[in-house]
Amino acid sequence: MIEIVEIRQLAFEDWAELYRGYADSYDVPITDEQLHRVWVWLGGHEAELRGLAAIKDSKPVGIVHYRRFLRPLAGEVGIFLDDIYVAEDARRHGIGEAMLEAIKDIAETQNCTMIRWITHEDRPDALAFYKKFAQKSRWVTFEMKLDEREKGYERK
């Protein structure tokens, strides 16, 4: 059975292990300082970032970070998934689907009209999985880098 819980029900170390796995999957270095900053954000006091975790057999195996966003042209609110990750050894067991369903429930409860996320184009497994639940947008993402540290690698 898969249990979906608020992310702050996890111990910091359990969440950090999963988030490091997520960062590693994109070949993005992450420091302890960054981990602690995101953990504080997930506490909800300084940022709107929220999170859920998937537990299977009493072990945390997945995380999803999300936040609400305004859609001015539509006059509506949506949910943006910043990060969704399932540990490699736990994939293909319904965990990603359970987390997306939980986010969908939250979106519906909060009267949001859409859930949006991005992934890297070189992730065929992720793309195939996401196509089961959503359709690819026609919008193209642009980024304006403001920090020299961003120039050596792509950060999601």
Side-chain angles (χ1 to χ4, degrees):
M1 182 176 121
I2 303 163
E3 181 183 10
I4 304 296
V5 300
E6 291 291 326
I7 208 151
R8 292 297 289 230
Q9 291 182 28
L10 294 185
F12 169 79
E13 294 78 17
D14 291 334
W15 167 82
E17 180 181 343
L18 287 166
Y19 201 54
R20 277 189 192 102
Y22 174 74
D24 289 348
S25 76
Y26 281 103
D27 294 321
V28 173
I30 191 162
T31 66
D32 287 344
E33 179 184 343
Q34 289 168 302
L35 287 169
H36 286 283
R37 183 179 308 126
V38 174
W39 186 247
V40 167
W41 290 345
L42 287 164
H45 302 293
E46 293 181 18
E48 292 194 21
L49 190 63
R50 301 288 181 266
L52 300 174
I55 311 292
K56 185 170 171 55
D57 300 326
S58 301
K59 180 182 181 204
V61 292
I63 54 174
V64 59
H65 301 152
Y66 67 95
R67 57 192 155 95
R68 291 166 48 102
F69 73 99
L70 301 177
R71 304 181 61 223
L73 199 54
E76 299 169 347
V77 178
I79 286 187
F80 188 84
L81 297 184
D82 283 288
D83 313 306
I84 182 167
Y85 178 74
V86 175
E88 283 192 44
D89 61 346
R91 292 180 185 166
R92 293 178 173 72
H93 295 285
I95 293 157
E97 181 174 354
M99 290 193 299
L100 286 175
E101 285 298 322
I103 294 294
K104 183 179 175 190
D105 290 345
I106 290 168
E108 289 172 345
T109 299
Q110 295 182 7
N111 295 315
C112 295
T113 58
M114 74 161 14
I115 300 168
R116 178 180 288 161
W117 65 94
I118 62 174
T119 192
H120 200 281
E121 63 189 356
D122 73 351
R123 303 234 164 195
D125 290 345
L127 290 168
F129 173 73
Y130 295 147
K131 285 179 183 176
K132 295 178 189 176
F133 305 95
Q135 59 191 74
K136 186 177 176 186
S137 168
R138 64 187 174 104
W139 299 102
V140 177
T141 302
F142 288 86
E143 296 177 341
M144 182 184 295
K145 307 288 185 182
L146 302 177
D147 188 332
E148 286 296 317
R149 294 175 296 176
E150 297 287 329
K151 298 237 176 10
Y153 54 88
E154 258 188 83
R155 194 182 291 266
K156 183 173 167 216

